Amino acid sequence: MKESIKRRDFLKIVGIGSVYLVAKNIIPGGAVSTLLKITQTSPTTNSGKRWGMVIDVGACIGCRQCTYGCKEENNIPNIPAPMQWIETFEMEQNEPITRLNSVPSNQSKTSYIESPIHGKWYLPIACLHCDDPPCVKLCPTGATFKSEDGIVEMNYDKCIGCRQCMAGCPYNARSFNWGKPQIPQENVNALVPVRPIGVVEKCTFCQHRVREGLLTKCVEICPVGARHFGDLNDPNSPPSKLLETYISSALLEEMNTKPKLLYITSGKKWFEEEG
Amino acid sequence: MFSYQKNDNTNDDIHVFVTNLITSKIGKKTMFIFLLLIMVYSIGFSEVNAYPLENYVGSGTCRKCHETQFNEWNQTAHSRAFTDPVFQTQWQAQGSPDVCLPCHTTNFDETGGDYQFENIGCELCHAPRSEYNEDYTPASCDRCHSVTHYPTYTEWLESEHSHAGVGCDSCHDPMTLEILTNDPNTLCKGCHLSQDIEQVAEEHGYEGYDCLDCHMTTSLVDFESGTNGMTGHTFLPAIPSPDCGECHTVSLDAHTVWGATDENCETCHDDVYMTMLHLLNGTDVAMSESSILCEQCHNDVYYEWSLGIHADSHDATLVCIDCHEPMNPYIMMNKTLPPVTPVSVVIEKPEPFISPTYFFIAIIGALGAAIYAFTVRRK
């Protein structure tokens, strides 16, 4: 029979292990992971910037131009199954953002055909690039991490497809590649990798664009100008100015994820224009 | 063989009569009376009649050679101008005045107060039979159509058509009096070809209006009250300067910078040629170049658009109104794209080969039997 381990050693191991797990979940921003160099930083980061986005749900008309623009830009496949990184929900007029128990998962809310309809407002949800992301805390390999400039990034090579991040994201913002994504050659955007089978993907704040000084595709393509992207460290950037002017709300605020994608309602309400 | 019979007609009746006449078998008195009768009777056939001025023969006579034209005329109101019951009722109600007759009858004699033929015959417009010549130029329509209760000619003199040489026969067939084409809009467009008018006509046509609805207002004469008739041949619109809102129900919620009245519409649109636009300084702009109108106020968006960063700028042929509804530009005409994940389809699970319940019972039964066989019944 094997020599049984001594009691003290056992207690030391258990103690250190539990302290580590508790610290990992309490200290925000995956700092412990960074300290222990478990995760990585992206080589193309713009240090000093803190990217954020503001969406004006008063102006959103639910046209899904952002969804399709994002699909085109980021090589999001339709084969084997149609996927989207931005999902727009049709909400009733008195359904507020802050008291949502969870992100609405009812399919009837995302499968509307006509918009905008008087009496309903539209809520586009994608990865909110939280400052304290549950998905990063849950990833066993460190394939998803929070970069220096605030983007929660994905490393598709490290992803093993366990989907813990999908379970942990309270906003259901992540999608999984159940099959090998196939995109016609002429539609492939060379700046964005085409994902392999069995990895999780999500909105990347168009990191290949914003780190070169451009705007994200969804912000650019929105026909009503409901989306605003910029550096939250810069007081003159559109999201900073909007956040100063209007009351902003985070989705599921009580989860304390501190998202960087915030929602406002400015005066530009399309349904107030009628008489 | 041939019979050389002489052509002997000396015994025919006519030969006998004439021979007897010449050889005075019939008395001279008889012949004299016969001649007198002929003379008196021929007076009736002479051209002398009670209407000595012109020599009218009546439409029926013209018919003998001009059958086609007669039939055309017979369908028109001219051929019923006197006999028409509406005329008769009105005319007799006013005591059958003579003033009506120069237009409603042919060859009315002022001095005698008689007319020769009822209705407007061939000869009222064309010359009477005695002046028959190659040139059948009819008289001008104003001879009759310039009275107070039928002032077509007077109205026409007021209109631009009279200055442009557009006469009665430009639109009316002179014989059948009908409009030259069935669709009045086609007739107007025959000359009024400018794209604006055609576009306006098409736009109005969609709402069921044609040129005549605004440009030819007619009303019947009322002799009792003395209201004159209107035949609409001034071609002026009934409402000289209508309020845009009388016909167009367009709400201008977003573009009411200058108020919600006509002046607002006329900021961009011409008031007559409504599909012609103009800048604030008055420069005309065609509808296809409408983007520069928006630029006057929305110059920041225009600049972004010119740089290619406003919305989806791939298509260089797009103008502002391709996406923005011009009256309420805040409300987009964007077509909502379809949902990415289609609504889930209920998949019918096929029935299993064996019903699960029976299969379960069978398995348990077999298992139970096996256990029983190997334990209880084992020796």
Side-chain angles (χ1 to χ4, degrees):
Chain A
M1 268 188 35
K2 240 176 36 173
E3 210 179 75
S4 54
I5 194 169
K6 296 211 176 54
R7 196 185 301 125
R8 281 198 182 185
D9 296 329
F10 175 75
L11 283 172
K12 279 180 206 164
I13 289 167
V14 167
I16 290 170
S18 55
V19 165
Y20 169 73
L21 283 172
V22 167
K24 191 170 183 286
N25 282 324
I26 286 182
I27 298 174
V32 174
S33 310
T34 317
L35 274 171
L36 298 176
K37 297 263 191 284
I38 296 175
T39 55
Q40 62 191 21
T41 52
S42 174
T44 57
T45 318
N46 298 12
S47 49
K49 291 201 193 286
R50 205 161 62 103
W51 298 117
M53 191 185 287
V54 168
I55 295 184
D56 184 356
V57 291
C60 179
I61 56 169
C63 64
R64 297 198 183 98
Q65 294 273 356
C66 49
T67 305
Y68 283 89
C70 172
K71 276 173 76 86
E72 201 189 299
E73 176 72 22
N74 289 297
N75 302 329
I76 300 175
N78 275 324
I79 302 162
M83 193 194 288
Q84 55 190 335
W85 286 357
I86 304 173
E87 220 166 330
T88 315
F89 293 86
E90 185 188 46
M91 314 287 278
E92 297 299 319
Q93 191 156 8
N94 52 4
E95 221 174 327
I97 239 181
T98 49
R99 282 199 306 239
L100 284 175
N101 286 332
S102 63
V103 167
S105 58
N106 187 355
Q107 198 171 37
S108 67
K109 283 182 125 63
T110 55
S111 51
Y112 61 88
I113 309 281
E114 275 193 17
S115 72
I117 299 176
H118 192 86
K120 296 196 197 283
W121 57 277
Y122 297 90
L123 178 67
I125 298 181
C127 172
L128 306 193
H129 294 273
C130 312
D131 268 344
D132 185 18
C135 56
V136 169
K137 289 188 272 192
L138 286 166
C139 180
T141 60
T144 185
F145 57 97
K146 176 99 176 163
S147 68
E148 270 181 359
D149 54 2
I151 300 179
V152 176
E153 287 190 46
M154 284 293 305
N155 183 340
Y156 302 115
D157 297 322
K158 279 197 182 174
C159 178
I160 57 169
C162 67
R163 301 186 351 259
Q164 290 295 315
C165 52
M166 287 177 70
C169 177
Y171 311 107
N172 296 333
R174 288 169 165 264
S175 321
F176 187 67
N177 283 295
W178 293 101
K180 182 173 179 345
Q182 285 160 44
I183 299 161
Q185 193 54 41
E186 64 268 13
N187 297 344
V188 171
N189 182 1
L191 298 170
V192 175
V194 179
R195 277 70 67 186
I197 184 174
V199 296
V200 174
E201 59 182 51
K202 66 167 189 66
C203 164
T204 57
F205 264 177
C206 286
Q207 63 192 54
H208 57 285
R209 288 169 64 107
V210 306
R211 289 175 179 159
E212 309 300 320
L214 300 173
L215 290 172
T216 65
K217 184 69 179 179
C218 55
V219 167
E220 210 181 79
I221 209 173
C222 177
V224 289
R227 303 176 83 105
H228 309 268
F229 182 84
D231 179 11
L232 293 176
N233 281 341
D234 176 11
N236 291 326
S237 69
S240 307
K241 290 204 276 198
L242 283 168
L243 292 173
E244 269 175 55
T245 321
Y246 298 101
I247 296 175
S248 63
S249 26
L251 272 188
L252 305 181
E253 231 161 332
E254 61 275 11
M255 294 281 198
N256 211 20
T257 52
K258 306 188 191 66
K260 284 290 145 292
L261 177 78
L262 297 161
Y263 293 92
I264 61 165
T265 312
S266 73
K268 274 199 308 190
K269 281 203 204 64
W270 58 267
F271 53 79
E272 276 190 2
E273 296 298 315
E274 293 181 33
Chain B
M1 288 308 284
F2 307 97
S3 63
Y4 289 100
Q5 196 165 13
K6 248 172 60 178
N7 240 0
D8 188 1
N9 55 358
T10 45
N11 287 328
D12 288 349
D13 290 326
I14 188 75
H15 259 84
V16 168
F17 175 75
V18 170
T19 311
N20 286 344
L21 196 69
I22 292 172
T23 53
S24 304
K25 283 285 166 58
I26 301 172
K28 284 198 175 54
K29 212 192 313 188
T30 317
M31 277 183 60
F32 182 67
I33 292 170
F34 195 53
L35 190 64
L36 203 62
L37 280 170
I38 289 172
M39 284 171 64
V40 169
Y41 190 56
S42 68
I43 289 173
F45 280 110
S46 77
E47 303 288 276
V48 179
N49 58 15
Y51 315 96
L53 295 173
E54 290 91 18
N55 299 320
Y56 286 77
V57 299
S59 310
T61 313
C62 308
R63 179 188 192 166
K64 291 182 183 142
C65 294
H66 301 282
E67 175 86 23
T68 324
Q69 285 82 349
F70 179 86
N71 287 334
E72 283 179 359
W73 167 83
N74 214 15
Q75 311 284 332
T76 67
H78 280 174
S79 65
R80 299 184 296 270
F82 186 82
T83 51
D84 188 80
V86 174
F87 170 77
Q88 284 292 327
T89 321
Q90 287 277 3
W91 185 57
Q92 286 168 22
Q94 294 174 58
S96 309
D98 279 353
V99 294
C100 310
L101 299 181
C103 290
H104 283 270
T105 60
T106 309
N107 200 8
F108 178 76
D109 181 17
E110 301 276 340
T111 50
D114 292 327
Y115 58 88
Q116 185 170 5
F117 296 105
E118 291 178 341
N119 303 321
I120 298 170
C122 312
E123 291 156 305
L124 191 76
C125 296
H126 304 280
R129 181 68 177 90
S130 62
E131 293 171 31
Y132 179 99
N133 53 15
E134 294 295 324
D135 181 17
Y136 265 120
T137 317
S140 172
C141 308
D142 68 323
R143 187 191 175 283
C144 295
H145 287 281
S146 50
V147 291
T148 50
H149 69 272
Y150 211 109
T152 307
Y153 187 83
T154 333
E155 289 172 355
W156 176 79
L157 281 180
E158 274 179 46
S159 75
E160 287 296 318
H161 281 172
S162 56
H163 305 140
V166 178
C168 312
D169 53 355
S170 305
C171 300
H172 294 273
D173 181 303
M175 217 41 237
T176 62
L177 309 181
E178 284 168 8
I179 310 293
L180 290 172
T181 66
N182 280 337
D183 174 26
N185 282 338
T186 320
L187 191 67
C188 309
K189 281 198 259 186
C191 292
H192 294 278
L193 281 172
S194 105
Q195 201 214 349
D196 309 306
I197 294 183
E198 206 174 86
Q199 215 165 339
V200 169
E202 257 180 39
E203 288 168 4
H204 280 149
Y206 287 131
E207 300 177 41
Y209 292 112
D210 57 23
C211 309
L212 306 182
D213 285 319
C214 292
H215 285 276
M216 276 193 83
T217 317
T218 59
S219 68
L220 287 178
V221 63
D222 186 349
F223 289 109
E224 282 182 18
S225 65
T227 319
N228 291 329
M230 263 174 38
T231 60
H233 280 75
T234 54
F235 299 106
L236 295 171
I239 311 165
S241 290
D243 204 33
C244 306
E246 286 197 33
C247 297
H248 296 276
T249 53
V250 175
S251 69
L252 285 167
D253 294 325
H255 268 163
T256 51
V257 177
W258 286 278
T261 62
D262 274 10
E263 284 181 20
N264 207 17
C265 310
E266 287 164 30
T267 312
C268 297
H269 291 273
D270 190 71
D271 59 345
V272 176
Y273 302 122
M274 294 169 248
T275 49
M276 185 63 138
L277 308 170
H278 56 86
L279 299 178
L280 291 170
N281 63 10
T283 318
D284 281 334
V285 171
M287 187 60 95
S288 55
E289 315 274 323
S290 56
S291 294
I292 23 174
L293 259 81
C294 311
E295 190 243 350
Q296 294 173 113
C297 297
H298 300 283
N299 45 9
D300 51 346
V301 179
Y302 187 86
Y303 179 62
E304 284 177 19
W305 174 71
S306 66
L307 288 180
I309 60 175
H310 179 75
D312 184 359
S313 51
H314 292 160
D315 191 344
T317 60
L318 292 180
V319 289
C320 309
I321 57 174
D322 283 321
C323 295
H324 294 268
E325 214 245 281
M327 301 302 148
N328 263 322
Y330 196 74
I331 298 179
M332 297 303 139
M333 285 191 334
N334 254 314
K335 192 170 169 305
T336 301
L337 298 169
V340 174
T341 357
V343 180
S344 58
V345 178
V346 174
I347 301 171
E348 294 275 336
K349 272 180 70 176
E351 285 291 309
F353 181 63
I354 303 168
S355 164
T357 328
Y358 295 130
F359 188 68
F360 182 67
I361 291 169
I363 292 289
I364 295 295
L367 208 60
I371 292 169
Y372 180 71
F374 278 103
T375 54
V376 175
R377 301 296 283 176
R378 193 161 170 172
K379 292 271 189 331

